[in-house]
Amino acid sequence: MLTICCPYCGPRGQSEFSYGGDASVARPSPEAGGDAWFAYVYARHNPKGPHQEFWQHSAGCRAWLKVTRDTRTHDIVAIAALAAK
Amino acid sequence: MTQPFRLPNGGDIDRARPIAFTFDGIRHQGYRGDTLASALLANGVHLVARSFKYHRPRGIYSAGTEEPNALVQVGEGARSEPNVRATTLELVDGLVARSQNRWPSLRLDAGALNDFASPLMPSGFYYKTFMGPAGPRWWLRYEHAIRRVAGMGVAADAADPDRYEHEHAHCDVLVIGAGAAGVAAAREAARDGARVIVCDEQPPRASFAEANIALLSRTTAFGVYDGLLVGALERLADHLDAPPANVPRHRLWKIRAGRIVLATGAHERGIAYAGNDRPGTMLAGAAQTYVERFGVRPGSRAVVLTNNDAAYESARALQSAGVAIAAIVDARPQPTVSVDAIRVLRSSGIVATHGRLRVSSVDVASLAGGGSERIECDLVCVSGGFNPAVHLFSQARGTLRYDEKLAAFVPDRSPLAISAVGAAAGELPSLNLEPVWSIRARTGKRFVDLQNDVTADDIALAAREGYTSVEHLKRYTTLGMGTDQGKTSNVVGLAILAEAIGTPIVNVGTTTFRPPYAPITLGAVAGSEQGAHLAPTRRSAMHAWHAKQGARFVTAGLWLRPHSYPRGNESEDDAANREARNVRTNVGVVDVSTLGKIELMGHDVATFLDRLYINTIGTLGVGRCRYGVMLRDDGLVLDDGTVSRLAPTHYLVTTTTVNAVKVMQNMEFLLQAVWPELDVYVTSVTEQWAAAAIAGPRSRDTVAALVDIDVSNAAFPFLAVTSCNVRASQGAIPARLFRMSYSGELAYEIHVAADRGSDMWEAVIAAGEPFGLMPYGTEAMGTLRIEKGHIVVGPEADGRTTADDLGLGKMVSAAKWCVGKPLLSRPALCERGRWQLVGLTALDGAAMPRAAKIVADPDHALPNPMLGHITSWCYSPNLSQWIALALLADGRARHGETLWAVSPLADARVRVQVGPPCFIDPEGARLRT
């Protein structure tokens, strides 16, 4: 089980968090065409190494976090809150 | 009950506290402090088991967790537990243990015929015989019989009556093992101020004065997981004669450590010689443990077989306890230690053993060959060297290094903060070990893995057949795959493989170590999360009222909701039909507290909701509600519900019961990750508000009697919202009143603070009484919405349907962007033939088959082309016939057609007429009157 260090709450067990998908894909602007949205929704890399992903501290402060996790080791190498809200 | 093999003194046992126990129905006596194994040995019982495959008689081989042989069935009834290691089971008063895998008895086991047939059962026997070219059909036929013969213990067939729990802990340093090295490591860490946890699998054997050291005894660390999370199993009650009711049996610890120190020691290993499995054979260090820790003489006359110096110390300990040492058979040409008055045979080994149920003599010969000498004995002590217990180090992604001097794998490097000390690190007294792994013999089985009956010849055969990778060898021969995970056997097996393929053992490597290090109870893994505690049960504020009225409950997500309120002997279906009919003729009330409720505040809520819903929200005025649909990013329907504008910057959104969490998460994500610039704050208030929907032609009369405002059509029209007070006998209840409808009738919703929910509900019941009000449950609610053609997320919005498929295409605003819209124009979502929502009416007076598929011709040869399927169905008490909602290919173009609903499972075929999904008041006149 991962230990995720929430910037607001400190180190907590993975069971307090919900996975929110790949954070490395940039969300297209509303005006962007279908192709850009198709890539955003469906196209994913499967990197070996550091991978950016969204996690929500859903059983805690409910902040959405951007977590950089090494897919080879499950080490969390960086973590950041998205918005101070 | 004399314990003939108990030494007159010595050992960590309490001789003042004798304990009675039975093994295979025979009463024995032991002492507090004994394990089942030491107590059996004290009574001269060596034969304790039959082996897994060949049913050969087996004895006690070790004195700890590594035991391959002495697995027993312990306890009775629901507490009966299989495959318990007698060597770690602490003796308690009245313990009942039985041997396993034998019939009719341990001494006379019919399964032992397998042993004679063993030449026919080489490595991979099952694969070769039952799963070969003939395919898995043979295996399926024989598997049942094979599993019965090659069995172990029997699982209890009743629910486990014991209690288990989980506990989380954090520490700076976790020390695993409380031997000398572990204690020293813990003290050193504590001196630097670290918070230390020491877990040790044995009964308390150390004590710490330091306040920052916590000792968990009888606690086995079984796994290292991501983030240095260590799983450990603490046994709190198994060693108590009468455990108090408040003590759980086992506690599963989840310890997050800053740093781990392994002081897990080393396991002695065997040597593969002919007949090395006869009862009376044990590891030399184990024999010494039985003498020194338990005051037990494991035999009268011993032969010691060794390839290192350690066994000499064991021999001396046995000798001083009165065990005659017939000989030390040393495989080394030049033993480096000398002992007085003990015969030492150099460059020698055991080539055969004799005795039926216990060893009676061994044949000893020079390793160079030549004749053998028979030596009488009732105990054979073996030492093939030591394997540092590297399991947890390896689980923590640590690499292992082969140490030539020890002839064993020792911890090398781990990317994580884990280190080993003492014997676990390979720090052992000088052994002068010579790597002799097996001893050649003309006949006889030379066992490597005693638990899985894998011999040196099996490994050699597997190597000849090409299974030279250690992982393949393991799977092909089952080496090390028993409950002991090959603690005494794996390295011996690897060495024999290395010899067979002519490569150094370091090139062979080891198999991957995986949790659990030692078996753990499934009850402990489940912890308290069993039965009703598996998940929270959510009840509305009016639950007690529903229950008192005899409501039948159904689950909706985690919620319990009333299904119907049967009266007297009424069936549930009849009750639901009565309730649904009453809504259309008089008035009904349904508990809708479970609907997800989210409040939004801020200046940009309208902008946000316009981006979220397919329809326009920005034009919604204060005091008005609107139905809305939201999509996923891929364009398919996510959820539906209502939006109410309570004040200029204050909105309330409702969601479906099961999607409340998902919608909330989605809103939070969009606000935090995508549009942080929007001034919007969201709060889930589902639990804070109790809600009732009042529906039916007499609902206005009911509500007028209930609230303190004018609810006439002019003052409070369809889709209005306002605050008001509910008149209740307990005093006025501040409420939110909505005029919205799910049933298709004139209807209102009342929301009050949850703690006033039951007051409000009783007030509604009282106010509606003169107008024929009845409470209705989810079944009647479902019937009403099917009659009205309203979709539900799940059956109709099933994650594959677009808004257009559901007949809601016109809601998608062309004037604005919303989530999911960019992908709505994908060709596949727009092409002809998409399944669209329709209503079906069963013809010929038939009942609508459940979950049926829709076909044009029920007699068409299989596979019959499927035109769609039924999503929701019911008997409509208001139309007096069976109706359904369905998703049907090009459904909107098929209104008026007659098709067939068929259910091969139910053997049902019914003619159905296709029509629009709304069966009642399609113009919506009732809503607006």
Side-chain angles (χ1 to χ4, degrees), chain A residues 1-3 13-14 18 27 30 32 34 37-38 40-42 54 56 58 62-64 73-75 82-83 85, chain B residues 225-227 229 256 397 416 633-634 664-665 668-670 672-674 676 678 680-681 817 819 822-823 826:
Chain A
M1 189 193 289
L2 301 175
T3 300
Q14 180 188 330
S18 307
R27 194 177 171 93
W37 278 94
F38 181 86
Y40 168 71
V41 172
Y42 295 106
F54 288 117
Q56 187 189 21
S58 46
R62 300 206 55 94
W64 276 96
T73 61
H74 286 194
D75 290 339
L82 291 178
K85 205 176 244 182
Chain B
Y225 302 88
D226 292 326
L229 172 74
R256 287 182 178 77
R397 308 203 309 269
L416 306 180
D633 278 328
D634 64 3
M664 179 71 186
Q665 266 191 321
E668 288 168 323
F669 176 78
L670 292 170
Q672 294 179 34
V674 185
L678 291 184
V680 178
Y681 298 85
W817 179 90
V819 169
L823 290 185
R826 278 182 294 164

Side-chain angles (χ1 to χ4, degrees), chain B residues 462-509:
Chain B
R464 283 202 301 282
E465 293 182 352
Y467 294 92
T468 52
S469 147
V470 58
E471 296 286 359
H472 292 160
L473 175 79
K474 167 181 158 179
R475 284 153 182 80
Y476 193 55
T477 63
T478 72
L479 175 73
M481 287 170 71
T483 62
D484 63 337
Q485 292 282 289
K487 292 185 181 65
T488 59
S489 62
N490 270 354
V491 177
V492 179
L494 304 178
I496 290 171
L497 174 67
E499 276 174 11
I501 60 179
T503 188
I505 186 168
V506 63
N507 294 348
V508 169

Side-chain angles (χ1 to χ4, degrees), chain B residues 166-374:
Chain B
H166 289 184
E167 187 154 341
H168 292 260
H170 295 258
C171 63
D172 299 317
V173 181
L174 173 66
V175 179
I176 300 170
V183 168
R187 294 228 156 97
E188 193 189 321
R191 253 198 310 277
D192 300 336
R195 286 180 309 150
V196 181
I197 293 177
V198 180
C199 64
D200 185 48
E201 62 181 357
Q202 293 195 25
R205 56 171 170 159
S207 63
F208 296 97
E210 294 88 339
N212 52 342
I213 302 182
L215 173 66
L216 299 172
S217 291
R218 296 189 174 92
T219 304
T220 305
F222 60 79
V224 180
Y225 302 88
D226 292 326
L228 286 192
L229 172 74
V230 173
L233 184 82
E234 183 181 17
R235 293 168 293 277
L236 294 117
D238 290 349
H239 64 287
L240 302 175
D241 291 333
N246 63 338
V247 174
R249 183 179 173 222
H250 294 163
R251 178 181 290 145
L252 190 105
W253 286 88
K254 297 175 187 176
I255 305 172
R256 287 182 178 77
R259 181 161 70 84
I260 298 173
V261 178
L262 293 179
T264 44
H267 296 127
E268 198 164 13
R269 64 196 182 206
I271 294 175
Y273 62 90
N276 62 343
D277 66 329
R278 233 172 268 285
T281 305
M282 70 174 66
L283 295 165
Q288 185 179 350
T289 299
Y290 286 115
V291 167
E292 292 176 347
R293 188 174 145 199
F294 298 104
V296 168
R297 196 158 49 85
S300 302
R301 188 177 154 85
V303 168
V304 178
L305 174 68
T306 186
N307 64 4
N308 67 78
D309 287 355
Y312 284 76
E313 194 198 322
S314 301
R316 270 192 293 265
L318 287 166
Q319 193 179 36
S320 62
V323 180
I325 306 297
I328 295 179
V329 182
D330 198 321
R332 298 172 296 177
Q334 296 294 336
T336 45
V337 281
S338 60
V339 277
D340 296 332
I342 294 183
R343 185 181 170 210
V344 176
L345 299 160
R346 299 171 176 195
S347 297
S348 298
I350 296 174
V351 294
T353 67
H354 307 281
R356 195 170 81 85
L357 300 176
R358 169 102 185 250
V359 67
S360 58
S361 62
V362 298
D363 292 349
V364 175
S366 165
L367 294 183
S372 65
E373 176 193 347
R374 183 159 298 187

Side-chain angles (χ1 to χ4, degrees), chain B residues 584-616:
Chain B
R584 298 235 185 267
T585 50
N586 294 308
V587 56
V589 60
V590 61
D591 184 348
V592 290
S593 305
T594 63
L595 288 179
K597 304 179 217 51
I598 300 169
E599 289 200 19
L600 299 94
M601 289 196 176
H603 292 98
D604 296 324
V605 176
T607 307
F608 176 58
L609 294 179
D610 261 341
R611 293 179 187 176
L612 205 56
Y613 285 95
I614 59 174
N615 46 324
T616 305

Side-chain angles (χ1 to χ4, degrees), chain B residues 644-722:
Chain B
S644 303
R645 191 169 186 184
L646 306 174
T649 58
H650 185 187
Y651 289 72
L652 174 73
V653 158
T654 64
T655 72
T656 56
T657 299
V658 291
N659 261 344
V661 171
K662 206 192 278 181
V663 170
M664 179 71 186
Q665 266 191 321
N666 191 38
M667 286 185 178
E668 288 168 323
F669 176 78
L670 292 170
L671 288 170
Q672 294 179 34
V674 185
W675 305 309
E677 71 281 3
L678 291 184
D679 178 41
V680 178
Y681 298 85
V682 292
T683 311
S684 166
V685 294
T686 303
E687 289 87 349
Q688 281 70 21
W689 293 86
I694 301 164
R698 309 300 302 274
S699 61
R700 180 173 293 128
D701 299 328
T702 304
V703 174
L706 185 70
V707 299
D708 62 353
I709 58 164
D710 178 3
V711 293
S712 67
N713 201 32
F716 195 65
F718 184 52
L719 295 178
V721 54
T722 189

Side-chain angles (χ1 to χ4, degrees), chain B residues 375-464:
Chain B
I375 303 176
E376 307 285 318
C377 64
D378 62 357
L379 178 67
V380 180
C381 299
V382 194
S383 179
F386 295 84
N387 298 328
V390 297
H391 308 70
L392 298 176
F393 188 82
S394 175
Q395 287 179 26
R397 308 203 309 269
T399 55
L400 305 177
R401 177 174 60 78
Y402 186 71
D403 182 311
E404 296 283 351
K405 260 176 96 177
L406 286 175
F409 289 93
V410 298
D412 190 16
R413 263 192 295 270
S414 168
L416 306 180
I418 185 167
S419 58
V421 294
E427 292 159 12
L428 290 156
S430 172
L431 295 173
N432 296 308
L433 179 139
E434 190 114 340
V436 174
W437 308 98
S438 62
I439 290 163
R440 242 180 265 284
R442 276 196 307 278
T443 59
K445 286 196 174 64
R446 300 177 297 157
F447 284 97
V448 176
D449 181 337
L450 289 161
Q451 185 167 120
N452 277 355
D453 276 349
V454 180
T455 66
D457 294 338
D458 289 335
I459 295 169
L461 174 64
R464 283 202 301 282

Side-chain angles (χ1 to χ4, degrees), chain B residues 509-541:
Chain B
T510 64
T511 53
T512 308
F513 292 88
R514 295 192 185 89
Y517 162 75
I520 55 175
T521 40
L522 288 173
V525 176
S528 58
E529 290 170 12
Q530 317 181 28
H533 296 295
L534 194 60
T537 301
R538 302 178 75 181
R539 297 180 177 87
S540 87

